């Protein structure tokens, strides 16, 4: 005779998806786990190397295409803290390298942070912003606060070039970085 209360019970949340197919993300994760398993046992010499698990068990393109972004809504108080930290970024906030210096200049990190916070661009759009991508447009009135900063975003693989009005702090931060930015060799746009 066993005490039935000693056995673990299944929660109803565990059973709600029973019988349904796995999500695309779960299938890709299972393939990745299986690939890791076979790579490890080949490396440990338990089985001979007859195939490359990374190639044979890679998630197919059709499966990866089903895995989309899952944006989350950021609470207002958390967003306010992010804005404050981004605008008030200081040298002491940056990580140091092994030699005691900083990996990147403060003006560059601050410009990237402000662009990320205020512009709503994708990572590849931010990375491809050219020098001179900001320009001010003054209102007809003589009020100096009537300036609007326009950000020119170049063509990307999903859309055409466009210009968007952004906060004045974006233009100030980007121009501050452009003023101290060292010359860069020309590079091909992939």
């Amino acid at each position: 005779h066993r005490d039935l209360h000693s056995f673990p019970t299944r929660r109803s949340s565990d059973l709600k998806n029973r019988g349904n197919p796995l999500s695309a993300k779960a299938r890709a994760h299972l393939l990745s786990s299986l690939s890791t398993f076979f790579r490890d046992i080949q490396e440990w010499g338990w089985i001979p190397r007859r195939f490359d698990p990374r190639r044979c068990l890679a998630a197919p393109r059709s499966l990866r295409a089903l895995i989309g972004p899952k944006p989350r809504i950021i609470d207002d108080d958390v967003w306010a803290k992010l804005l404050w930290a981004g605008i008030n970024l200081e040298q002491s906030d940056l990580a140091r390298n092994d030699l005691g210096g900083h990996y990147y200049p403060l003006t560059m990190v601050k410009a990237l942070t402000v662009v990320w916070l205020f512009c709503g661009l994708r990572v590849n759009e931010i990375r491809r912003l050219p020098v001179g991508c900001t320009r001010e447009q003054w209102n007809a009135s003589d009020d100096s606060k009537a300036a609007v900063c326009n950000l020119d975003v170049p063509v990307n693989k999903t859309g055409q070039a466009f210009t968007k009005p952004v906060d004045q702090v974006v233009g100030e931060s980007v121009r501050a970085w452009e003023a101290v930015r060292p010359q860069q060799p020309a590079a091909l746009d992939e």
Side-chain angles (χ1 to χ4, degrees), residues 112 115 121-130 154 189-190:
L112 284 171
V115 167
L121 299 176
R122 295 185 193 98
V123 173
N124 68 334
E125 292 171 333
I126 294 173
R127 185 179 331 150
R128 296 175 64 246
L129 287 174
D189 188 356
E190 296 175 4

Side-chain angles (χ1 to χ4, degrees), residues 90-107:
E90 295 178 358
Q91 195 75 32
S92 60
D93 298 325
L94 301 181
R96 293 186 170 275
N97 61 20
D98 296 336
L99 303 173
H102 295 286
Y103 288 103
Y104 300 107
L106 175 65
T107 52

